Amino acid sequence: MRHVNEGYIVCRCEEVTGKQLEDAYLLGAITSRQLKMKTRATMGACQGRVCRQLVNLWLSKKDQCADKGVEPLSYRTPIRLVTFGELAGEE
Amino acid sequence: MTTESADVVIIGGGIIGMATAYYLAKLGSDVVVVEKGEIAGGTSSKCDGNILAIDKEPGFDSQMSLESQKLVSQLVMELDEEFEYRAPGSILVCESDEEMEAAEMWVNRQKEVGLPFRMLDRGEIRSEWKYMADDIHGGLECATDSTVNPVLLTYSMAVTAERLGARLKTHTWVTGIRLDPSGAVEGVETSSGLIRTKHVVNAAGVWSKPIAQMVGIEIPVEPRKGHILVSSRTESIGTRKVMEFSYLMSKFGKERKVDQLTEQYGVALVFEPTASQNFLIGSSREFVGFDMKINVDVIRCIARRAIRFFPVMKDIPVLRSYCGLRPWTPDHLPIVSRVEEVPGFYIAAGHEGDGISLAAITGKVMSECITGQETTISIEPLHYNRFKKEAGKR
Ligand SMILES: Cc1cc2nc3c(=O)[nH]c(=O)nc-3n(C[C@H](O)[C@H](O)[C@H](O)COP(=O)(O)OP(=O)(O)OC[C@H]3O[C@@H](n4cnc5c(N)ncnc54)[C@H](O)[C@@H]3O)c2cc1C
Ligand code: FES
């Protein structure tokens, strides 16, 4: 990963850069769950659909056997963005 | 398989286990934490981060919370990493005159013991909360309540405990507890071997019951599920915690006036702004075993309740939802206790909806109890014996 510009954005929704992942990793966030909690990568509006693979790939390059989590960065309902009003059944 | 040894083995790497590990390591104990998943992978990452005194009975309950609040404000200086700590106070809002009267009684009782509570009239609520529904009658405030990111606090205690010499074994299951012929603890069996030790702390949250059964002890800790909704980023609706007063009405022997589903799912408004410009909306309280699936009917009900207090939320997108299992006990107090029948066995579990609030004080008194020091607060009311006696009476 050394040649890659550290400022490149891994997660667009939360504007998380490779540098931020790197910093969090050095501070001990060595699993995908810890990286997510520390940097908010994958927690944005698209819920990681755009960036999850990138984050996991980044982590694999760091550490082949890094824990991608028994509880992976999975989708949680609702999958499509709905408003509180739609959920409540109001229009 | 290897055999190692430690002064103390802590079962569970949630916020309670990590607080206990941190305070023990600080006292110089050689500690090992055994966690079946990841640090903070259990209930401690599926919750809010409120550290509240506002809903506690004056007396032992509130004293415990206030001591914990003090400790958390010190942890800001002590721990190696920050955890989004703020102390903006919290408020409860009332929907009727009847609730306002009960709220006034609550405030007066808290003020008598010197706590920073006060009533808020309709005007004060309106001026702080421009998006609150018009018909809210008023509310009350506890000025010192604070908030943290519970996962970051757990991580921070873990990192600091490690620096002080604690060893964390993640993805390692506790499968048994070994007793010597006299019945005292002599080791913990795990999926990666035996750890010899004379002290074991059961900090396994909702899973603490099967751990206690390993040494023949019954504790009445049951999972009480709660759902939370996360909004997308929006213009700020408010900068501190708001809850509805009505869920305290039972403390006054009065019924809540809500529809049947809200009652059935135990839904009550909890609004919590986060450090990332969105907000969390809770919550529900249900006994449905260890079921961790999102129940859409419950989150619909939570959304309706939120809109009742904040009509603008109607048009705000929900980003995701999650649920967690609170470790419930019959009297809503945790078990923080030694177990006389099994020398060397300790319990720190059953914090229901207050584990984040009470983690610091729990870890502190556990560390004092294990190292034979006087505890910061009396832990007699938290002894596990209280449930044994109850069972005897029946
Ligand atoms: C929706 C919701 C909202 C909440 N909001 C708040 C709030 O605002 N404020 C507050 O104070 N509290 C709140 N709580 C309560 C709080 O989350 C819990 O009280 C607290 O997280 C319990 O922490 P714990 O360390 O006891 O349990 P956990 O975090 O569950 O930790 C127990 C650990 O033990 C491990 N374990 C279990 N069995 C074994 C085994 N055999 N071997 C090895 N490891 C094992 C588990 O994997 C787990 O990680 C809320 C809870 C919910 C569900
Ligand atoms: S790109 Fe990361 S959450 Fe959308």
Side-chain angles (χ1 to χ4, degrees):
Chain A
M1 298 290 274
R2 215 171 302 130
H3 343 274
V4 185
N5 172 10
E6 286 198 320
Y8 78 101
I9 292 199
V10 177
C11 169
R12 275 181 255 164
C13 299
E14 292 289 318
E15 294 180 14
V16 181
T17 61
K19 171 95 172 64
Q20 281 169 284
L21 289 184
E22 184 74 42
D23 291 347
Y25 188 85
L26 291 176
L27 280 169
I30 54 166
T31 67
S32 61
R33 227 176 83 89
Q34 287 169 334
L35 280 175
K36 153 181 149 176
M37 296 311 302
K38 273 287 190 194
T39 65
R40 300 194 52 77
T42 75
M43 294 178 81
C46 84
Q47 288 290 283
R49 248 159 301 195
V50 175
C51 63
R52 175 174 302 103
Q53 291 305 336
L54 260 170
V55 172
N56 282 336
L57 189 70
W58 185 91
L59 188 58
S60 302
K61 293 221 168 137
K62 279 272 159 205
D63 172 5
Q64 270 294 322
C65 351
D67 185 6
K68 312 289 180 313
V70 251
E71 193 197 7
L73 301 171
S74 60
Y75 300 111
R76 297 196 178 162
T77 51
I79 289 173
R80 182 180 66 85
L81 279 195
V82 295
T83 62
F84 277 86
E86 284 165 340
L87 195 58
E90 292 171 18
E91 258 328 285
Chain B
M1 293 279 157
T2 52
T3 302
E4 52 182 314
S5 61
D7 291 342
V8 185
V9 173
I10 295 167
I11 306 172
I15 196 161
I16 301 295
M18 290 327 308
T20 307
Y22 166 67
Y23 282 105
L24 274 168
K26 201 176 152 193
L27 292 177
S29 290
D30 173 33
V31 186
V32 171
V33 178
V34 183
E35 164 56 54
K36 69 176 154 91
E38 276 194 44
I39 299 302
T43 308
S44 303
S45 55
K46 301 179 179 74
C47 55
D48 288 316
N50 306 325
I51 303 191
L52 301 180
I54 198 165
D55 56 351
K56 303 295 181 301
E57 286 284 345
F60 181 76
D61 279 25
S62 69
Q63 187 211 354
M64 196 166 42
S65 293
L66 293 165
E67 278 300 328
S68 212
Q69 269 177 5
K70 265 192 245 158
L71 290 173
V72 173
S73 68
Q74 292 163 7
L75 288 178
V76 176
M77 317 305 239
E78 290 176 32
L79 298 183
D80 293 354
E81 292 179 16
E82 71 93 37
F83 45 88
E84 299 175 0
Y85 172 80
R86 293 192 307 134
S90 67
I91 72 170
L92 294 171
V93 291
C94 299
E95 285 184 277
S96 66
D97 287 334
E98 198 189 9
E99 285 180 17
M100 284 297 276
E101 279 163 32
E104 188 125 31
M105 279 157 59
W106 189 246
V107 166
N108 290 337
R109 282 170 56 195
Q110 302 280 2
K111 285 208 307 221
E112 273 165 29
V113 294
L115 300 185
F117 278 63
R118 70 185 181 105
M119 290 299 289
L120 300 171
D121 63 26
R122 211 176 186 132
E124 284 167 296
I125 295 277
R126 286 300 297 165
S127 65
E128 181 180 343
W129 300 88
K130 64 175 171 168
Y131 293 118
M132 182 89 69
D134 284 332
D135 61 337
I136 296 303
H137 285 228
L140 68 100
E141 172 194 65
C142 173
T144 51
D145 278 346
S146 54
T147 163
V148 296
N149 178 320
V151 179
L152 294 185
L153 175 54
T154 310
Y155 285 173
S156 187
M157 291 191 295
V159 167
T160 314
E162 262 188 312
R163 176 171 57 75
L164 298 171
R167 284 166 282 160
L168 313 184
K169 292 172 139 342
T170 53
H171 301 287
T172 309
W173 289 72
V174 169
T175 52
I177 292 165
R178 204 176 276 188
L179 305 182
D180 68 16
S182 75
V185 169
E186 68 171 9
V188 175
E189 288 157 6
T190 76
S191 50
S192 65
L194 175 71
I195 308 172
R196 294 193 188 283
T197 184
K198 291 192 160 16
H199 303 279
V200 176
V201 182
N202 176 1
V206 286
W207 301 274
S208 56
K209 191 175 175 163
I211 299 285
Q213 284 166 344
M214 290 175 182
V215 295
I217 298 293
E218 282 301 327
I219 52 173
V221 174
E222 300 295 340
R224 194 175 202 188
K225 186 179 183 180
H227 286 78
I228 289 178
L229 299 176
V230 186
S231 80
S232 55
R233 285 193 182 155
T234 58
E235 183 193 347
S236 171
I237 287 189
T239 56
R240 56 179 174 166
K241 207 93 41 191
V242 189
M243 289 160 295
E244 58 176 294
F245 184 79
S246 89
Y247 88 104
L248 283 186
M249 284 304 265
S250 62
K251 292 196 199 250
F252 299 89
K254 299 213 168 87
E255 262 175 46
R256 273 183 85 189
K257 295 202 169 86
V258 289
D259 64 69
Q260 195 238 322
L261 281 181
T262 306
E263 182 68 37
Q264 180 186 331
Y265 298 140
V267 169
L269 172 83
V270 181
F271 165 87
E272 182 183 339
T274 72
S276 4
Q277 291 125 48
N278 50 12
F279 57 82
L280 306 180
I281 286 287
S283 178
S284 56
R285 287 168 191 273
E286 288 177 285
F287 293 106
V288 286
F290 284 86
D291 173 12
M292 285 284 286
K293 281 197 293 291
I294 302 284
N295 179 337
V296 177
D297 293 335
V298 174
I299 59 175
R300 284 183 188 286
C301 190
I302 293 173
R304 277 198 294 278
R305 198 70 195 149
I307 293 168
R308 186 264 171 270
F309 289 91
F310 293 104
V312 302
M313 283 184 195
K314 208 157 76 62
D315 299 316
I316 296 177
V318 179
L319 203 53
R320 63 175 177 275
S321 58
Y322 58 90
C323 58
L325 302 171
R326 304 177 185 88
W328 172 91
T329 70
D331 62 4
H332 307 288
L333 286 177
I335 305 173
V336 180
S337 169
R338 60 171 80 242
V339 172
E340 277 76 7
E341 301 89 310
V342 186
F345 191 74
Y346 300 82
I347 302 169
H351 293 73
E352 203 188 343
D354 292 314
I356 310 307
S357 302
L358 300 179
I361 189 68
T362 300
K364 182 107 197 300
V365 295
M366 257 294 126
S367 72
E368 292 161 341
C369 183
I370 293 170
T371 54
Q373 303 179 30
E374 198 187 324
T375 52
T376 304
I377 58 164
S378 158
I379 53 172
E380 232 8 76
L382 307 178
H383 202 287
Y384 107 98
N385 269 339
R386 67 187 196 272
F387 298 118
K388 258 194 348 196
K389 281 182 213 134
E390 219 167 72
K393 257 188 251 157
R394 255 185 247 128

